[in-house]
């Protein structure tokens, strides 16, 4: 199991201690893996055959968003499972989490609507670097503890003998 962050309180710490009390469950933390998986774009760049198509938008401008939509449509068109994707997109902070700075873009959405929502949410941090991903066609979403609905889930595996896939320094660095 890869731990992205430290538990926020004693209750969570005890839960993690209990989980790792089983010798079959091992933790790994590695700086290269952390850096790679903090960026949704770098995750896709490193694992394009396993990750959801992701393109860079960068700062939110009409030109950047239009280019991102064009590039994402081209990726989706070549994707072996393109039928899994809805005709909507998700614009999100490349380095974000917890649903902050995440916006659904419908075909009829105007740039002004999207920019207004982003501006309202971004009052504290105006320096957001966006990526665009297709919305996965999903009838009910996921249930994870008390959370349900459309939840972004990233899963990584370790091969049968417990060795991680080697992560080289060759993946692109974006705003680290």
């Amino acid at each position: 199991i890869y731990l992205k962050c430290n538990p926020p309180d004693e209750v969570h710490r005890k839960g993690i201690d209990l989980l790792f009390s089983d010798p079959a469950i091992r933790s790994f933390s590695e700086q290269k893996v952390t850096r790679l998986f903090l960026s949704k774009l770098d995750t896709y760049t490193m694992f394009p055959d396993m990750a959801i198509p992701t393109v860079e938008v960068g700062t939110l401008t009409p030109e950047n968003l239009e280019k991102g939509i064009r590039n994402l449509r081209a990726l989706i068109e070549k994707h072996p499972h393109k039928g899994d994707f809805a005709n909507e997109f998700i614009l999100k902070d490349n380095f974000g989490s917890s649903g902050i700075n995440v916006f659904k873009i419908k075909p009829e959405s105007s740039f002004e609507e999207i920019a207004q929502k982003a501006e309202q949410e971004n009052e504290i941090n105006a320096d957001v670097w966006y990526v665009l991903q297709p919305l996965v066609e999903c009838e009910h979403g996921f249930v994870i503890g008390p959370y349900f609905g459309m939840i972004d889930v990233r899963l990584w595996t370790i091969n049968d003998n417990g060795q991680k896939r080697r992560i080289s320094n060759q993946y692109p660095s974006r705003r680290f």
Side-chain angles (χ1 to χ4, degrees), residues 17-32:
D17 289 345
L18 177 62
L19 177 67
F20 287 112
S21 67
D22 181 338
I25 297 176
R26 295 180 296 161
S27 169
F28 71 92
S29 296
E30 187 176 292
Q31 186 176 12
K32 290 178 190 175

Side-chain angles (χ1 to χ4, degrees), residues 7 10 21 37 44 63 71 75 83 100 112 131 134 145 152 155 171:
E10 189 60 29
S21 67
F37 286 107
Y44 174 72
E63 298 79 22
N71 291 342
L75 276 180
I100 299 168
E112 288 74 23
V131 294
D152 181 17
L155 176 70
Y171 63 85

Side-chain angles (χ1 to χ4, degrees), residues 75-87:
L75 276 180
I76 291 169
E77 191 54 40
K78 297 179 206 170
H79 198 278
H81 305 289
K82 62 184 172 186
D84 291 345
F85 305 126
N87 193 27

Side-chain angles (χ1 to χ4, degrees), residues 91-109:
L91 179 70
K92 56 175 70 171
D93 182 347
N94 186 42
F95 303 103
S97 65
S98 305
I100 299 168
N101 293 315
V102 177
F103 310 99
K104 185 189 287 188
I105 298 179
K106 298 179 179 188
E108 66 274 9
S109 297

Side-chain angles (χ1 to χ4, degrees), residues 32-82:
K32 290 178 190 175
V33 174
T34 301
R35 289 185 56 169
L36 174 66
F37 286 107
L38 283 176
S39 166
K40 295 163 187 72
L41 185 60
D42 288 349
T43 302
Y44 174 72
T45 302
M46 181 66 125
F47 304 107
D49 54 337
M50 294 179 267
I52 190 166
T54 304
V55 297
E56 184 173 42
V57 171
T59 56
L60 192 55
T61 66
E63 298 79 22
N64 288 353
L65 186 58
E66 280 183 37
K67 181 180 176 187
I69 290 172
R70 272 194 319 274
N71 291 342
L72 186 56
R73 283 193 172 130
L75 276 180
I76 291 169
E77 191 54 40
K78 297 179 206 170
H79 198 278
H81 305 289
K82 62 184 172 186

